[in-house]
Amino acid sequence: MASDPAVGAPKAAPTAPKSRRSVTGTRRTVAALFLLPALVLLGALVVYPIGYSVVRSFYDQSGDGFAGIDNYRALFTDEGVRTALKNNIIWVVFAPTVATALGLIFAVLTERVRWGTAFKLVVFMPMAISMLAAGIIFRLVYDQDPDKGVANAVWVGVHDTFAESSAFPKAHPGRESPLEPAGGGAFITTGTVSAGDTVTLPLVGVAPDLMPDGAEPAAAAKPEDDRITGTTWQDFTRGKGVGALNRVDASELGYPGMLIEAVRDGKVVETATAGADGTFSLSSKAEGARLRLPASNFAAPYNGLDWLGPSLVTPAIIGSYIWMWAGFAMVLIAAGLAGMPRELLEAARVDGANEWQVFRRITVPLLAPVLAVVTVTLMINVLKVFDLVFIIAPGSSQDDANVLALELYRQGFSADQPGIASAIAVFLLLLVIPVMWFNVRRLRREVRR
């Protein structure tokens, strides 16, 4: 019987396990060394500040006493924080929606025009401007003075096109005037008039350099037997002792365009408008009436809207944000539009669909992933908005324009309440996490496809 050669032979020594490698062939220890600086920076700049803010949010102002959830309770009882939370909701609802909608409109409308690239460049250009610079620009745009603020210059121009303002907002009767207040800013003669009378309606209060350009030297009205004539003018002559009171002088100017009403028994029986020299004429219908200068003659000039007032400051700042970020939305949507299969659009047109139906039923559904990316990105962005609100809103309206990021700054630095500021930071992080989680899930689904 043959012997087994393996019997009694010494066993081979076990081989040492090979160093495991990553998918790319790099040793894990080497990969860890390369990742170490990034992990250190991530821990120092992200993980540690978040952890410290969470811990600090449970301590009092000094940082020595444990406050429990008192700081978080203050988030829902403090008026400033509640206003900031309400404004953040307004920002999240309107700013991303409007910016995305404008980006979609711009991307679709400029797709087929030759100058579409130039238009996109102009719309995207605000993205190159810092938030600080944009805030300063829009602080000037929303200036109350129409001579400085572009928004009010346009608004006042449109308003004055349909409702012209008076040229005599500060005019009023002077000493020993035949006029007396009639209520509501109007003035009326103390006595009645008769045919053949010449009436003087002197006023003062308009600076010589603010008189209308069409004003001419005032002229004394000539009497007419069957009419009532008169003059309304600026009864003021520069120089001490120059000119006579309640009498037309050569250097005094008439009130062109001044409206005169003849009022009898509480009803207006006739009206007249003064000429360039201030003279006017009424028919015999005004017999026995009193002459009234209505309040419309003295209406203050329209000064536009208070864009940065309590009621409009948040929409105004949202408008500046949309101006900056609509270009960002447009570029991303235009990129998605460029990769859309054109055969689907052409097939829909061949089947008889009009452009609106193609846009609503084909374009928008195919762009839904891109629109979701843009909207979610802008939502995360507006939850943290600070610069524009801090710069644009004046001190008198900053409480009304307050947002969580600004309130965090005010509590942490102005009010010296680091505990409440840390609680706001943690609360803001909790608001951002669901949106980020949704975005990450959506991106993973796209990768799996």
Side-chain angles (χ1 to χ4, degrees):
M1 183 175 181
S3 62
D4 187 353
V7 176
K11 295 182 179 179
T15 57
K18 295 183 178 180
S19 176
R20 298 185 66 181
R21 294 174 178 268
S22 66
V23 176
T24 58
T26 307
R27 287 191 178 92
R28 296 201 171 191
T29 54
V30 176
L33 289 175
F34 275 102
L35 287 174
L36 184 61
L39 294 175
V40 171
L41 287 176
L42 184 67
L45 300 180
V46 178
V47 178
Y48 173 75
I50 292 176
Y52 182 79
S53 296
V54 172
V55 173
R56 187 66 180 82
S57 66
F58 292 103
Y59 283 82
D60 59 12
Q61 181 179 6
S62 64
D64 298 327
F66 185 74
I69 62 170
D70 289 347
N71 292 327
Y72 290 94
R73 187 181 293 113
L75 298 184
F76 302 97
T77 58
D78 184 81
E79 187 66 28
V81 179
R82 287 194 295 179
T83 301
L85 183 59
K86 180 194 71 174
N87 286 336
N88 263 106
I89 293 173
I90 295 173
W91 272 87
V92 169
V93 171
F94 289 101
T97 304
V98 176
T100 304
L102 284 178
L104 175 62
I105 293 171
F106 291 156
V108 172
L109 292 183
T110 58
E111 186 186 17
R112 298 183 181 180
V113 295
R114 290 183 299 175
W115 43 267
T117 303
F119 178 82
K120 291 175 183 176
L121 178 64
V122 172
V123 175
F124 187 75
M125 195 175 295
M127 286 295 299
I129 303 174
S130 68
M131 285 284 197
L132 172 65
I136 295 173
I137 291 171
F138 275 88
R139 182 68 179 267
L140 297 174
V141 167
Y142 292 133
D143 195 287
Q144 179 68 39
D145 188 353
D147 294 331
K148 298 179 182 178
V150 175
N152 263 342
V154 174
W155 193 265
V156 170
V158 173
H159 174 273
D160 289 349
T161 301
F162 300 98
E164 188 174 355
S165 300
S166 169
F168 319 108
K170 296 183 179 180
H172 60 274
R175 294 181 294 112
E176 303 176 16
S177 173
L179 293 166
E180 63 181 8
F187 303 101
I188 195 168
T189 56
T190 55
T192 59
V193 296
S194 303
D197 290 348
T198 55
V199 185
T200 56
L201 304 177
L203 296 168
V204 295
V206 181
D209 56 340
L210 296 180
M211 289 292 288
D213 296 335
E216 297 180 359
K222 296 179 180 180
E224 298 181 25
D225 293 337
D226 57 345
R227 300 186 69 84
I228 297 138
T229 58
T231 305
T232 177
W233 80 102
Q234 172 84 346
D235 188 22
F236 175 79
T237 304
R238 287 182 174 178
K240 186 176 181 180
V242 180
L245 188 64
N246 296 333
R247 191 181 70 186
V248 177
D249 295 304
S251 61
E252 297 169 347
L253 297 176
Y255 280 147
M258 181 73 76
L259 179 64
I260 298 96
E261 297 176 340
V263 181
R264 186 171 58 237
D265 298 329
K267 296 181 180 179
V268 177
V269 295
E270 193 175 6
T271 61
T273 302
D277 57 359
T279 58
F280 61 89
S281 176
L282 295 163
S283 69
S284 58
K285 293 180 182 179
E287 181 82 28
R290 298 170 70 186
L291 301 188
R292 181 175 67 186
L293 302 179
S296 59
N297 289 318
F298 315 106
Y302 183 66
N303 204 36
L305 296 175
D306 188 7
W307 295 101
L308 299 181
S311 58
L312 291 178
V313 62
T314 296
I317 300 174
I318 290 176
S320 65
Y321 178 89
I322 292 170
W323 175 78
M324 289 193 67
W325 288 86
F328 167 81
M330 178 195 66
V331 169
L332 291 187
I333 295 171
L337 201 60
M340 186 181 298
R342 299 295 167 176
E343 58 271 14
L344 295 178
L345 304 180
E346 296 303 326
R349 293 188 180 100
V350 170
D351 289 340
N354 56 39
E355 291 300 321
W356 168 247
Q357 291 173 325
V358 171
F359 172 76
R360 185 166 61 91
R361 298 181 179 276
I362 306 295
T363 304
V364 172
L366 290 177
L367 286 176
V370 179
L371 296 176
V373 169
V374 174
T375 304
V376 171
T377 303
L378 294 181
M379 287 176 67
I380 296 173
N381 189 268
V382 299
L383 280 171
K384 304 177 295 180
V385 68
F386 166 79
D387 317 61
L388 289 177
V389 181
F390 182 72
I391 297 167
I392 296 177
S396 58
S397 299
Q398 203 166 81
D399 289 340
D400 301 283
N402 201 10
V403 290
L404 287 174
L406 177 59
E407 184 64 17
L408 187 156
Y409 169 83
R410 296 170 69 178
Q411 291 287 348
F413 296 96
S414 300
D416 191 23
Q417 293 287 346
I420 297 178
S422 299
I424 295 174
V426 174
F427 181 63
L428 199 56
L429 176 65
L430 294 177
L431 292 179
V432 172
I433 285 176
V435 184
M436 294 180 63
W437 176 76
F438 170 81
N439 208 21
V440 170
R441 282 196 61 188
R442 193 204 57 76
L443 290 174
R444 285 180 176 174
R445 285 199 303 267
E446 290 294 322
V447 170
R448 284 197 294 267
R449 290 177 185 176

